[in-house]
């Protein structure tokens, strides 16, 4: 069935995920939804120095929000911060240097952040697509460490801070690529068989959808959502998927178009009128499975994913100095 899933997803993508798909969908947007002043509210955006993360941070800053940029590369992050401040006139932009593939670093950051700041909205945007199997210094497969475990640890570590606030939200930037993957808890670090970075990434993005659904059940006073930005022209797409980029570059969305639904989920009152735990595309909840694609997983597998991630999380928390 994988050929079927891949074909259906690509055809769907050509129709909906490109710039023309955004332009068609946006005809039905209500501009007032995002004409919101969010001064006094605090937002944390990971992977915020470029692409969809930076576009999201910029739009929130433009609306008066306090924005915490979480980035891995200090030099690029400082440039991005300066550009956001200059473009928006908002001085309440704070920079934190954290490698989301390093679980100990995430724990240290989260513990410090909780003592120094408040948080209304967490936006999990950082991600990677490594095309050859690569291990981090902790022996973790790098895609899994960044996209899944990093997202899990940062979110769960900051939940107590979010729980203190009214209208708290968590948004995770996933991908429509997850539609071609069924949750696989037997090989979370992709050590078996041939390594295909694109499919590993898609599996991680399926895992993020499951995480969001599980968190929504467990934490009723926080609004969780996960979304697909469409196919956007970002540095990550250009570097990780050069063949795809060359083929599609004239049809890709802008970074701002890719970020539009993230911003809508983060600031609009309309978003939280919808149930927590849904998957969004162009400001609308959409199915998390293709018709006839056999990608549904049993509840036991979803519970197993949460258990394994919690075990990893606690292991790295207990060995975090400081």
């Amino acid at each position: 069935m994988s050929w079927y899933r891949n074909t259906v997803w690509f055809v769907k993508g050509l129709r909906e995920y490109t710039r023309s798909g955004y332009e068609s969908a946006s005809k039905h947007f209500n501009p007032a939804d995002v004409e919101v002043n969010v001064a006094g509210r605090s937002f944390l955006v990971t992977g915020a120095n470029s692409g969809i993360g930076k576009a999201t941070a910029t739009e929130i800053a433009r609306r008066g929000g306090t924005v915490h940029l979480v980035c891995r590369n200090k030099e690029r992050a400082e440039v991005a911060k300066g550009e956001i401040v200059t473009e928006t006139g908002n001085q309440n932009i704070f920079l934190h240097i954290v490698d989301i593939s390093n679980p100990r670093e995430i724990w240290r950051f989260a513990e410090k952040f909780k003592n120094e700041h408040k948080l209304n909205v967490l936006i999990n945007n950082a991600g990677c697509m490594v095309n050859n199997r690569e291990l981090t210094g902790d022996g973790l497969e790098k895609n899994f460490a960044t996209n899944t475990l990093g997202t899990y640890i940062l979110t769960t570590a900051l939940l107590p801070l979010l729980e203190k606030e009214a209208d708290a939200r968590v948004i995770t930037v996933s991908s429509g690529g997850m539609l071609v993957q069924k949750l696989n808890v037997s090989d979370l670090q992709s050590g078996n068989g041939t390594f295909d970075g694109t499919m590993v990434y898609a599996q991680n993005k399926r895992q993020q959808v499951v995480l969001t659904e599980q968190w929504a059940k467990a934490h009723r006073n926080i609004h969780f959502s996960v979304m697909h930005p469409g196919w956007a022209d970002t540095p990550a797409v250009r570097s990780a998927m050069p063949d795809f980029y060359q083929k599609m570059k004239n049809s890709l969305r802008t970074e701002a178009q890719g970020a539009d639904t993230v911003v809508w989920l983060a600031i609009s009152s309309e978003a939280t009128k919808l149930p927590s735990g849904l998957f969004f595309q162009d400001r609308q909840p959409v199915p998390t499975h293709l018709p006839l694609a056999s990608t549904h997983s049993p509840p036991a597998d979803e519970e197993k994913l949460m258990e394994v991630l919690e075990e990893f999380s606690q292991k790295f928390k207990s060995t975090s100095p400081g």
Side-chain angles (χ1 to χ4, degrees):
M1 288 292 283
S2 62
W3 65 268
Y4 168 81
R5 291 199 295 263
N6 291 348
T7 302
V8 172
W9 171 73
F10 192 72
V11 170
K12 179 180 172 70
L14 289 173
R15 188 176 67 247
E16 298 178 20
Y17 300 164
T18 54
R19 190 186 311 139
S20 63
Y22 174 84
E23 289 166 353
S24 176
S26 66
K27 291 173 184 172
H28 306 287
F29 292 173
N30 180 0
D33 286 359
V34 291
E35 290 170 0
V36 181
N37 184 327
V38 290
R41 283 176 68 77
S42 175
F43 300 77
L44 190 156
V45 185
T46 66
N49 67 290
S50 67
I52 287 164
K54 185 185 175 193
T56 298
T58 302
E59 291 306 315
I60 292 169
R62 208 186 299 284
R63 291 159 175 80
T66 296
V67 186
H68 295 274
L69 313 175
V70 172
C71 308
R72 187 183 58 197
N73 183 290
K74 190 171 190 290
E75 291 73 25
R76 289 204 294 266
E78 285 176 343
V79 170
K81 176 188 171 182
E83 290 171 349
I84 293 169
V85 170
T86 300
E87 187 174 336
T88 66
N90 187 337
Q91 299 293 324
N92 293 318
I93 312 298
F94 300 92
L95 190 55
H96 310 272
I97 305 305
V98 186
D99 183 351
I100 298 294
S101 74
N102 184 324
R104 293 183 183 87
E105 212 172 291
I106 299 169
W107 270 119
R108 286 196 295 271
F109 161 72
E111 294 304 316
K112 186 170 186 287
F113 189 90
K114 281 192 290 190
N115 291 327
E116 297 175 356
H117 304 282
K118 72 167 197 169
L119 184 63
N120 299 95
V121 181
L122 169 62
I123 299 169
N124 291 308
N125 166 73
C128 75
M129 185 193 294
V130 178
N131 288 311
N132 297 302
R133 193 169 190 274
E134 185 181 317
L135 300 183
T136 68
D138 295 303
L140 299 167
E141 190 277 315
K142 193 164 188 178
N143 294 294
F144 167 78
T146 307
N147 302 327
T148 302
L149 184 60
T151 297
Y152 178 87
I153 293 177
L154 183 64
T155 304
T156 52
L158 293 177
L159 283 175
L161 203 54
L162 289 158
E163 295 271 9
K164 294 177 183 177
E165 302 296 332
D167 190 18
R169 310 183 190 192
V170 176
I171 299 116
T172 299
V173 179
S174 181
S175 165
M178 67 91 196
L179 291 167
V180 305
Q181 286 285 311
K182 178 179 180 177
L183 179 66
N184 177 9
V185 290
S186 66
D187 188 23
L188 288 176
Q189 300 205 59
S190 311
N192 302 330
T194 305
F195 187 90
D196 180 333
T198 306
M199 288 299 106
V200 170
Y201 178 82
Q203 173 65 210
N204 296 160
K205 295 298 167 175
R206 168 63 70 188
Q207 291 160 5
Q208 290 178 342
V209 170
V210 173
L211 286 179
T212 299
E213 292 168 347
Q214 295 297 311
W215 283 327
K217 291 176 192 172
H219 304 278
R220 299 287 185 175
N221 56 341
I222 299 173
H223 191 271
F224 292 87
S225 55
V226 59
M227 59 78 67
H228 174 39
W231 294 341
D233 187 348
T234 65
V237 168
R238 293 195 288 273
S239 63
M241 304 173 70
D243 294 344
F244 172 82
Y245 175 74
Q246 284 303 320
K247 188 183 299 182
M248 299 297 297
K249 62 183 178 183
N250 295 324
S251 303
L252 298 177
R253 297 178 177 205
T254 65
E255 292 171 345
Q257 289 171 342
D260 175 81
T261 295
V262 189
V263 175
W264 182 83
L265 287 165
I267 69 173
S268 80
S269 59
E270 293 304 304
T272 51
K273 291 177 183 175
L274 294 159
S276 183
L278 298 181
F279 181 69
F280 287 83
Q281 176 189 315
D282 291 333
R283 303 193 190 183
Q284 291 290 327
V286 292
T288 56
H289 300 277
L290 292 168
L292 309 176
S294 306
T295 50
H296 292 269
S297 51
D301 283 3
E302 298 181 356
E303 290 163 14
K304 178 71 173 172
L305 174 67
M306 303 305 282
E307 288 168 12
V308 171
L309 293 177
E310 183 60 18
E311 286 170 15
F312 269 121
S313 172
Q314 291 304 317
K315 171 187 162 189
F316 288 110
K317 181 181 185 183
S318 65
T319 57
S320 289

